[in-house]
Amino acid sequence: MHFADFLAGSIGGACGVAVGYPLDTVKVRIQTQKQFTGIWNCITTTVKKEGVHGFFKGMALPVTTISMTSSVVFGTYRNCLQCLAQFRGIGASNTKLDVFLSGLAGGVAQISVMSPGDIVKVRLQCQTESKRSGLKPKYRGPIHCLLSIARDEGISGLYRGALPLAFRDGPSFATYFLTYSTLCSQLTPAGQKEPEWPAVLLAGGVAGMAGWSVGTPMDVIKARLQMDGVRGERRYRGLVHCVTETVRNEGPRIFFKSLGINCLRAFPVNMVVFAVYEVSVRVLRSVSVDRIS
């Protein structure tokens, strides 16, 4: 069992949230609110009405939950790789299919931990009321939002959007880890065991963009299901109905409306995630080796 990967993934995930949260808020608002005509319009409107604070609404809980979910993703991924290698026999190396399947398993495994924090994040990010605008917001903060959803919608309400979340993160993380692994192996000189830091940064950034390219369409559906009914009557009966209604009313292009900002955010965020992860896991493994020796 690779315990170092769980801890290193947790540290890397928390750092990634801190870097990418403002653009994540813009992304969620563009996906769920028609009042914004584009990225720049959303940014300027948010600053004008809510100030810089508007970009960081609901950040406290995601720092904690993303830290946990990132731990689950990286830990599950690394341990699945180990199991698949052992299945093939002693000394066997992992194939690209192993990497893909392990990433898929990691993405799906973290849904149970991620879903409650994710719906709180989305609800708070889409709450445009503020003291500056003179309107009283529905949720006073992450904990109040979490308890309100559980009270008004039941525990199942905290998992609204969990199915599209699984459809998003399974393929997305499979692509994410496959891209990172492939680029690192290609950029690492022959005979060298670990990639150099420029390779880690580049591979991490590109992997983030690749993962979001796959996950963005389902991310739109997830956000809409999570916000459905908050500002009026519920519009969608479920995942399939949301997809068909979205296509019918807005066309298939809506699924890629936030792709640009997702990729813009994904590159620096995942540079940081993988850099911190690699540093952390190497330090933790060296410490454990020193203790054993």
Side-chain angles (χ1 to χ4, degrees), residues 84-280:
L84 290 170
Q86 290 175 346
F87 179 76
R88 287 199 168 82
I90 298 174
S93 58
N94 289 115
T95 64
K96 285 184 171 56
L97 180 60
D98 291 346
V99 174
F100 185 87
L101 293 175
S102 297
L104 184 71
V108 174
Q110 48 97 45
I111 300 303
S112 60
V113 180
M114 182 178 187
S115 190
D118 190 65
I119 192 170
V120 169
K121 175 183 76 71
V122 169
R123 293 275 178 97
L124 289 174
Q125 285 176 324
C126 291
Q127 184 171 265
T128 56
E129 298 86 358
S130 66
K131 293 179 180 179
R132 180 179 292 192
S133 65
L135 300 174
K136 185 179 179 180
K138 182 177 181 179
Y139 304 116
R140 296 193 297 269
I143 301 301
H144 180 250
C145 181
L146 184 74
L147 295 175
S148 297
I149 294 171
R151 183 195 64 217
D152 299 337
E153 305 171 45
I155 298 300
S156 62
L158 296 173
Y159 289 89
R160 190 194 292 187
L163 184 58
L165 189 60
F167 284 137
R168 182 196 76 176
D169 284 355
S172 179
F173 275 109
T175 306
Y176 180 68
F177 283 111
L178 180 60
T179 303
Y180 179 75
S181 176
T182 302
L183 285 176
C184 279
S185 62
Q186 290 180 348
L187 295 172
T188 303
Q192 188 171 310
K193 192 175 181 180
E194 295 176 333
E196 296 177 352
W197 291 113
V200 169
L201 294 172
L202 177 61
V206 174
M209 293 174 69
W212 273 109
S213 296
V214 172
T216 293
M218 198 53 65
D219 188 54
V220 174
I221 298 302
K222 173 197 73 71
R224 294 193 171 199
L225 287 173
Q226 289 173 328
M227 285 300 297
D228 191 30
V230 175
R231 298 176 183 274
E233 294 184 6
R234 295 187 65 170
R235 297 174 54 195
Y236 308 117
R237 296 192 296 269
L239 172 63
V240 175
H241 185 244
C242 182
V243 172
T244 54
E245 283 295 295
T246 299
V247 172
R248 185 171 66 85
N249 294 325
E250 301 173 66
R253 291 182 60 185
I254 190 63
F255 292 119
F256 299 96
K257 186 177 180 180
S258 58
L259 179 59
I261 194 167
N262 273 340
C263 290
L264 180 66
R265 179 177 65 93
F267 195 89
V269 166
N270 289 284
M271 282 175 63
V272 171
V273 169
F274 272 108
V276 173
Y277 167 77
E278 292 287 356
V279 169
S280 301

